Amino acid sequence: NPCHVDTYYDLDLSLPDHRVMAKVLTVLAVAEPGENWTGVSFDNKENWVLPMSWTEVVPSEGRLRLNYVSKGRGCAPDWKTRLALGDYFLLGADAVEAHYRKYIVP
């Protein structure tokens, strides 16, 4: 669910579902303020920094580990972006929007 992404991720990018989740987290990292990727490593490289090229294409191999945080200091959820990402999940954007409409400021 794109509205509840704050957790630890251990993603194997050779798996299509994991790549989709990495793409979702990348979109949110760019859209949402603050340091929202913490404890990041890519292929066991600690303190790895997300390259902007991932906003276009997430690699099809590698291991990405991170904690996603949207409630920490300087962080805040971007509800419009999260709702737009609903189509990446089985529940669909309509279901997400119906449940989280209260968070959206027109």
Side-chain angles (χ1 to χ4, degrees):
N1 182 327
C3 294
H4 296 285
V5 294
D6 289 42
T7 193
Y8 174 74
Y9 294 90
D10 183 351
L11 303 173
D12 176 351
L13 300 182
S14 70
L15 302 172
D17 288 349
H18 287 211
R19 277 195 308 278
V20 168
M21 194 66 223
K23 177 67 172 181
V24 165
L25 294 171
T26 299
V27 169
L28 290 175
V30 172
E32 297 184 343
E35 287 289 321
N36 39 40
W37 283 30
T38 63
V40 182
S41 72
F42 182 66
D43 283 343
N44 294 319
K45 296 176 186 122
E46 300 295 323
N47 301 314
W48 178 82
V49 178
L50 173 66
M52 288 306 292
S53 62
W54 281 38
T55 61
E56 298 297 321
V57 177
V58 172
S60 60
E61 56 185 41
R63 190 71 163 224
L64 176 65
R65 294 179 174 99
L66 67 110
N67 285 298
Y68 192 89
V69 180
S70 65
K71 298 173 185 152
R73 187 177 54 158
C75 298
D78 180 329
W79 293 108
K80 288 184 180 183
T81 300
R82 288 181 180 214
L83 293 176
L85 292 169
D87 286 339
Y88 282 100
F89 297 85
L90 292 176
L91 48 94
D94 291 341
V96 173
E97 183 174 353
H99 188 71
Y100 293 97
R101 188 172 287 126
K102 63 187 171 195
Y103 296 110
I104 302 173
V105 178

